[in-house]
Amino acid sequence: MMRYLLSILLIVFTACTQSYQTQLTELKVEHLDRPLGMDATHPRFTWKLQNSPLGTIQKEYQIRLATDSMELIKGKDLLWHKQGSTGKNAITYDGEPLKPFTKYYWGVSVNANSNQESQFAISTFETGMMGSEQWKGTWITDTEDIDLKPAPYFRKEFDLEKKVVRARAYIVAAGLYELYINGEKVGDHRLDPVYTRFDKRNTYVTYDVTQDFNQAKVAIGVILGNGWYNHQSTAVWLFDRAKWRKRPRFCLNIKLTYDDGTTELIATDKSWKTSLGPLVLNSIYTGEHYNANLEQPGWNTVNFDDASWKASLEVAATSNTIVAQAIPPIRIVKVLQPVRMTKMSDKRYIFDLGQNISGVTKLRVSGEKGSVIRVTHAEQLDCLGNLDLSNIDVHYRPKDTLDPFQTDVYTLNGAKDQVFEPKFNYKGFQYVEVKSTTAIDLDKNDLSGLFMHTDVEAIGSIHSSNQLLNNIWKATNNSYCSNLFGYPTDCPQREKNGWTGDAHINIETALYNYDGISVYEKWMKDHKDEQQANGVLPSIIPTWGGWGYDWGNGPDWTSTITIIPWELYQFYGDDHALKMMYEPMKKYVDYIRSISYDGGLTNWGLGDWVPVKSVTPKELTSSIYYFVDASIMAKTALHFGKQEDFKTYAALAKQIKDAVNDKYLNPKTGVYGQGFQTEQSAALYWGLVPDSLKEKAAKRLVEAVSKSDNHIDVGLLGTRTILGALSQNGYADLAYQVATQDTYPSWGWWIRNGATTLYENWDIHANSDLSKNHIMFGAIGGWFYSGLGGILPDPEKPGFKHIILKPNLVAGLDQFEAKFQSPHGEIISSWDTNTDGTVKYEVRIPNNSTATLYLDVDTVEFQGEAISFTNVFTKELNPGVYRFVVTRTSK
């Protein structure tokens, strides 16, 4: 009995000890969880101490790498072993070259401030091709006719004489693809591969298909879509004239490992059979047409009769660079059922999803053979309740009526409950019209909306007592996600273009809300591919090699090349993008310098796009962004120890600042230009205002806001700066009022008029720029974290290793909470108003981070004691949860 009790006590003691042991979580490689088919030669390893007792600070780490998990645990036969006395939770591999097609096990343990060693946490990653030269077989297609509308289908059968214990499929395509094995689609990705400059760089995807090779005979099928590679639809951006344009093509390698240790490679070549099929038209821009009467049942299964199919055509690779697609895939992330259906007639139905989304619809329908169903998608209805596409089809230039905009066309084969869902297209919509040439009977459940986007992990949340604020945050995130398809876009319907200005204006909105570093690093590679020898970038990236180099670009737009790598460094503490883009950044800034005048001014740019009414001079905003570029270049040079570059660009930044202030600043009044909101806020926010004049300039901004009845009067560029400039300079209450107005012009005006996403124009009745799912005015989503929650990275210790906390407990907002998953763990900044009018402010600092808290309040009580202070209360914080009772400032 005593032995039994001792055993129980030992178990309880062990459990208690383990519960308080330092635990590591979220082990990632290249910011991805257990990536499959990775090409990075020097991968980055990261982890968190999130499940450890709050208060834990890492003091030392050791990291190991092996190809055998047991040897890794034992610490024997290691391929790499590194340790250091540092709190860094991000280490770059610097061992012997990694081998292709290899599964690696890696583990990490740390010693914390309590001198307690953590458990040894283990994860994996698997390398892929590790070089374009590893590809075997050939690229194949069916014809070189770029005008042929039906999509090509491919198939091949294989006999297996031994048991497969491991199988990996590597597929690269120019265009889009879906891969099938024995009739089943492989994976849950959509629209692979993501868009790149196809003639310079292609991406491949890796799948673990071991379970698909458990039969004696295997059939492999592939369907190719046009995507951006063979853009047959015609619009103002002329993608149909792309220099890379050809019929879609692909290359597939499948590596098999048998139970006896032998291996075999399956690769594409001309022995693969090809045929056309029921997918008779597909356009990433407009829609898909599918004729069910042309289906060939079983085409991707074994024992299918492919005698009528022809041999594939072997073709050259589309570029010399084939790299792993190392980003989260595009997926269906949410399925929406209509909130209402209106039967207009027995041939026409209109559905309302209740939310504007990006994606496609799934339709179940029965009808007569030969009936043609047109499924049209729109963001709005006209006054009679019919679909209205006039706000989104303005840039489409069709040559005929055979390729209608945002419309899928299905031809029925007479079978019951046919289900149709596009494969190689997406749209932006809330309303759907289903129109048939014959009578059909539909109910609300026969159609669903499939919300699609790059499946980035949500890492932030905002909640408050103001429901309008909550709805603005949700709408901003809906628009952000609707515009992320392997690269950031402007809108999911009219354009689908990677407008640079929209992206850098909203980068903080992106990084506070979503773990998107891998997507932006991929997009920076797109920038490298598109940059001309003189440093010039196009306004949309990727582009086809022509559009965007002579309109819409300039420092106010294409400063993505400096701002985004710098923001990634601030948010993640990871300087990989800065290092990769250092020379392209220099080339870009040097080009602007070559065309600048009057000591540092430039008129190259697009300006404060779609302002409410006041038009800020383009020269001012472009010169300000030129200053931002030069400043980032100087800070980056200093970071990398490039002293001569630092001196050069620091001097350039000062020169630009002086030139802007000499021309636009009235030092007596603090007015920039005519004192418009964008003029004042941009100068304040980006640091051009001399310290002695900041108070004056801020007061002039307040006056400009007051003239607009505390509403915004800015365009795209001003949305990044207006709220921040106010809240950073002592006017957070006013910033909150501006942010939560619900009359025109405001974000709340859209919400009040039924918006579930952000619009392209403040005026919902304007004659142009009327997309109802645009991210360009979305910078408010980042301001909720920085301007209200006050959660800020410290440039001296980026990646939130040290946190700057400057919450603004604004009047009129009784409760507020901002949560953000930093690289070290969750940061929470929140407050609640007590019945006596005091405010309970609570903050959570994650393990392995520290913070400096600044509270601009009148009184502070901490742990039951009143704290005396002068001006602003300041306190250094270690990991933990802290609660303060304060009274709001009466200043």
Side-chain angles (χ1 to χ4, degrees):
M1 185 67 174
M2 182 61 70
R3 183 176 296 177
Y4 174 77
L5 289 174
L6 287 172
S7 298
I8 295 295
L9 287 172
L10 180 60
I11 292 171
V12 172
F13 174 79
T14 302
C16 291
T17 302
Q18 288 177 344
S19 68
Y20 284 97
Q21 184 186 39
T22 302
Q23 297 180 28
L24 307 184
T25 62
E26 297 190 41
L27 276 66
K28 293 185 177 182
V29 182
E30 290 293 288
H31 299 284
L32 299 170
D33 181 23
R34 301 174 187 267
L36 188 67
M38 191 192 71
D39 277 353
T41 55
H42 300 283
R44 293 160 285 172
F45 299 95
T46 58
W47 59 89
K48 292 182 181 179
L49 284 66
Q50 190 148 298
N51 286 351
S52 305
L54 202 52
T56 304
I57 296 285
Q58 175 186 311
K59 298 297 183 182
E60 299 174 332
Y61 76 89
Q62 66 163 323
I63 188 169
R64 306 173 190 167
L65 182 76
T67 55
D68 184 283
S69 58
M70 293 306 297
E71 296 302 317
L72 181 77
I73 295 171
K74 295 175 184 176
K76 297 180 178 180
D77 295 327
L78 299 177
L79 302 176
W80 182 57
H81 182 203
K82 188 166 185 170
Q83 54 190 12
S85 299
T86 175
K88 289 179 61 178
N89 66 336
I91 302 298
T92 300
Y93 178 75
D94 59 1
E96 294 297 314
L98 300 175
K99 297 179 180 179
F101 316 120
T102 303
K103 184 172 185 176
Y104 289 95
Y105 296 86
W106 70 283
V108 61
S109 65
V110 305
N111 283 326
N113 49 334
S114 58
N115 290 322
Q116 184 183 56
E117 186 174 358
S118 73
Q119 97 283 17
F120 188 63
I122 299 174
S123 189
T124 65
F125 69 93
E126 190 173 304
T127 54
M129 291 286 177
M130 300 291 287
S132 301
E133 69 280 358
Q134 295 289 345
W135 285 90
K136 307 302 178 185
T138 57
W139 288 62
I140 60 174
T141 187
D142 64 335
T143 177
E144 291 287 16
D145 183 359
I146 62 174
D147 296 318
L148 182 63
K149 295 294 193 294
Y153 289 60
F154 301 84
R155 70 182 313 275
K156 178 83 172 182
E157 290 188 23
F158 299 90
D159 293 316
L160 302 176
E161 297 181 355
K162 293 180 283 188
K163 182 181 178 180
V164 174
V165 295
R166 185 175 185 269
R168 298 290 186 268
Y170 308 90
I171 182 168
V172 56
L176 301 170
Y177 73 85
E178 284 195 349
L179 171 65
Y180 297 83
I181 299 179
N182 288 337
E184 298 295 326
K185 183 188 171 185
V186 176
D188 61 355
H189 299 191
R190 301 295 295 257
L191 303 177
D192 270 341
V194 294
Y195 185 17
T196 59
R197 177 69 183 264
F198 298 107
D199 57 343
K200 292 188 176 181
R201 182 166 48 94
N202 300 99
T203 62
Y204 72 90
V205 179
T206 304
Y207 301 95
D208 180 350
V209 293
T210 306
Q211 297 304 313
D212 298 301
F213 281 80
N214 57 7
Q215 302 176 27
K217 200 166 189 178
V218 174
I220 303 172
V222 172
I223 312 174
L224 293 183
N226 287 317
W228 293 99
Y229 183 64
N230 185 34
H231 204 285
Q232 295 175 322
S233 302
T234 47
V236 297
W237 300 280
L238 307 175
F239 281 96
D240 57 306
R241 301 182 189 177
K243 60 179 64 177
W244 63 63
R245 186 183 168 191
K246 291 181 181 178
R247 180 76 167 166
R249 53 208 56 214
F250 78 105
C251 183
L252 173 67
N253 282 195
I254 298 180
K255 295 181 73 68
L256 304 178
T257 302
Y258 294 107
D259 58 353
D260 62 1
T262 59
T263 61
E264 183 180 1
L265 176 70
I266 296 173
T268 44
D269 58 26
K270 62 183 178 183
S271 68
W272 284 59
K273 305 293 285 292
T274 183
S275 174
L276 302 179
L279 186 51
V280 293
L281 181 149
N282 71 95
S283 168
I284 190 74
Y285 186 63
T286 58
E288 286 192 8
H289 301 185
Y290 187 94
N291 188 341
N293 297 287
L294 301 178
E295 290 177 343
Q296 300 185 53
W299 71 272
N300 50 12
T301 62
V302 298
N303 301 321
F304 172 77
D305 183 5
D306 60 8
S308 63
W309 289 43
K310 66 177 185 178
S312 296
L313 177 66
E314 293 185 349
V315 292
T318 58
S319 78
N320 294 322
T321 303
I322 304 174
V323 297
Q325 185 169 294
I327 65 173
I330 298 167
R331 287 191 177 104
I332 297 169
V333 296
K334 186 178 181 181
V335 178
L336 286 80
Q337 296 305 133
V339 296
R340 67 183 59 86
M341 181 195 79
T342 304
K343 183 176 181 179
M344 311 298 282
S345 71
D346 60 1
K347 296 181 181 179
R348 190 163 73 97
Y349 299 77
I350 292 179
F351 298 81
D352 177 4
L353 294 177
Q355 179 184 323
N356 202 340
I357 65 170
S358 60
V360 296
T361 47
K362 186 175 184 178
L363 175 68
R364 181 180 63 227
V365 61
S366 301
E368 299 176 13
K369 181 177 181 179
S371 299
V372 177
I373 309 289
R374 293 167 67 98
V375 183
T376 304
H377 306 71
E379 292 188 318
Q380 61 189 20
L381 302 176
D382 65 18
C383 60
L384 299 177
N386 298 307
L387 260 64
D388 178 9
L389 279 76
S390 63
N391 68 315
I392 54 175
D393 65 0
V394 293
H395 295 319
Y396 185 35
R397 301 291 184 268
K399 296 179 180 178
D400 51 43
T401 60
L402 302 178
D403 184 12
F405 190 64
Q406 289 228 137
T407 301
D408 301 318
V409 181
Y410 305 128
T411 304
L412 307 186
N413 63 10
K416 184 176 177 161
D417 290 338
Q418 298 173 72
V419 177
F420 299 99
E421 178 186 326
K423 300 178 183 298
F424 303 125
N425 167 265
Y426 75 97
K427 310 166 188 73
F429 63 98
Q430 177 174 335
Y431 302 96
V432 183
E433 178 189 74
V434 179
K435 186 177 181 180
S436 175
T437 56
T438 61
I440 54 175
D441 184 22
L442 298 178
D443 65 37
K444 198 167 66 171
N445 295 322
D446 286 325
L447 182 135
S448 54
L450 310 182
F451 192 5
M452 293 163 45
H453 58 77
T454 298
D455 192 11
V456 284
E457 178 188 358
I459 58 172
S461 67
I462 295 291
H463 185 270
S464 78
S465 55
N466 185 333
Q467 191 55 45
L468 177 61
L469 184 155
N470 300 338
N471 288 339
I472 292 171
W473 175 73
K474 290 176 184 177
T476 301
N477 283 1
N478 284 340
S479 276
Y480 176 75
C481 290
S482 294
N483 284 287
L484 198 65
F485 280 79
Y487 64 106
T489 68
D490 60 333
C491 58
Q493 11 64 11
R494 191 185 69 208
E495 303 189 25
K496 301 182 172 77
N497 282 323
W499 280 97
T500 48
D502 302 49
H504 77 69
I505 290 296
N506 294 289
I507 187 61
E508 289 191 352
T509 292
L511 299 182
Y512 275 118
N513 284 293
Y514 296 97
D515 182 13
I517 183 172
S518 58
V519 179
Y520 287 101
E521 287 182 346
K522 175 266 178 189
W523 200 44
M524 287 301 102
K525 294 174 184 175
D526 295 334
H527 278 60
K528 290 183 69 174
D529 288 343
E530 298 291 5
Q531 188 175 38
Q532 294 180 333
N534 62 0
V536 173
L537 291 161
S539 51
I540 58 174
I541 295 174
T543 187
W544 57 271
W547 204 94
Y549 286 99
D550 55 5
W551 189 86
N553 54 344
D556 54 353
W557 240 247
T558 44
S559 286
T560 44
I561 196 172
T562 60
I563 292 174
I564 287 181
W566 182 254
E567 292 284 11
L568 292 178
Y569 176 51
Q570 296 306 300
F571 273 74
Y572 286 87
D574 187 331
D575 62 6
H576 176 76
L578 277 177
K579 190 176 299 182
M580 174 176 66
M581 300 304 293
Y582 188 83
E583 291 302 324
M585 286 162 57
K586 276 185 64 176
K587 189 186 298 185
Y588 178 69
V589 174
D590 289 348
Y591 175 78
I592 306 174
R593 179 165 51 180
S594 73
I595 63 169
S596 64
Y597 52 86
D598 292 348
L601 301 179
T602 178
N603 197 42
W604 182 36
L606 197 54
D608 195 23
W609 195 246
V610 193
V612 176
K613 60 179 185 291
S614 299
V615 180
T616 295
K618 184 173 62 174
E619 182 186 69
L620 174 58
T621 50
S622 289
S623 298
I624 287 176
Y625 275 97
Y626 177 28
F627 166 76
V628 173
D629 293 333
S631 299
I632 290 175
M633 197 66 240
K635 290 183 287 189
T636 303
L638 183 63
H639 170 68
F640 290 125
K642 298 178 181 291
Q643 289 298 325
E644 291 304 313
D645 281 354
F646 166 67
K647 293 176 183 177
T648 297
Y649 293 105
L652 177 61
K654 182 181 183 303
Q655 179 182 328
I656 300 165
K657 179 178 179 177
D658 291 345
V660 170
N661 287 335
D662 286 348
K663 180 166 184 177
Y664 286 97
L665 172 61
N666 183 331
K668 293 182 179 180
T669 62
V671 170
Y672 278 81
Q674 299 181 64
F676 295 149
Q677 289 183 23
T678 295
E679 293 175 316
Q680 296 299 123
S681 66
L684 282 163
Y685 184 87
W686 291 116
L688 281 86
V689 183
D691 290 343
S692 61
L693 293 176
K694 282 184 179 179
E695 186 175 346
K696 276 186 180 180
K699 287 181 178 178
R700 301 296 86 80
L701 173 59
V702 171
E703 291 170 1
V705 173
S706 179
K707 287 179 183 177
S708 297
D709 195 24
N710 293 350
H711 285 66
I712 49 168
D713 181 18
V714 298
L716 170 66
L717 304 179
T719 56
R720 172 72 189 265
T721 60
I722 179 66
L723 300 177
L726 287 170
S727 59
Q728 292 166 12
N729 289 279
Y731 298 98
D733 285 0
L734 179 58
Y736 171 66
Q737 291 178 42
V738 172
T740 54
Q741 295 283 6
D742 67 353
T743 54
Y744 172 81
S746 65
W747 292 274
W749 172 241
W750 296 333
I751 303 299
R752 184 175 159 189
N753 281 273
T756 58
T757 46
L758 303 186
Y759 290 178
E760 185 185 11
N761 203 313
W762 302 112
D763 182 359
I764 61 177
H765 303 297
N767 294 321
S768 62
D769 304 311
L770 288 172
S771 160
K772 291 189 173 182
N773 197 348
H774 242 71
I775 188 55
M776 73 179 194
F777 290 136
I780 189 173
W783 179 80
F784 290 143
Y785 295 88
S786 62
L788 291 180
I791 301 172
L792 300 163
D794 182 350
E796 298 301 317
K797 294 183 179 180
F800 298 91
K801 180 64 177 169
H802 184 75
I803 306 157
I804 304 296
L805 278 168
K806 293 184 176 181
N808 287 298
L809 315 182
V810 294
L813 187 59
D814 291 337
Q815 180 272 326
F816 177 84
E817 180 183 69
K819 292 183 176 180
F820 169 61
Q821 276 285 352
S822 79
H824 296 280
E826 187 174 57
I827 304 168
I828 303 177
S829 176
S830 67
W831 71 80
D832 228 326
T833 304
N834 298 318
T835 55
D836 62 359
T838 59
V839 178
K840 181 177 70 176
Y841 176 70
E842 184 171 311
V843 61
R844 184 187 193 277
I845 308 302
N847 286 330
N848 214 29
S849 289
T850 57
T852 303
L853 171 65
Y854 302 87
L855 286 173
D856 187 7
V857 294
D858 283 347
T859 65
V860 174
E861 184 180 299
F862 179 60
Q863 295 180 342
E865 294 185 8
I867 308 297
S868 61
F869 60 94
T870 304
N871 294 325
V872 175
F873 171 75
T874 304
K875 186 174 179 59
E876 300 300 320
L877 305 177
N878 288 319
V881 176
Y882 300 85
R883 298 176 181 89
F884 305 84
V885 178
V886 307
T887 56
R888 288 186 170 95
T889 180
S890 56
K891 298 173 186 176

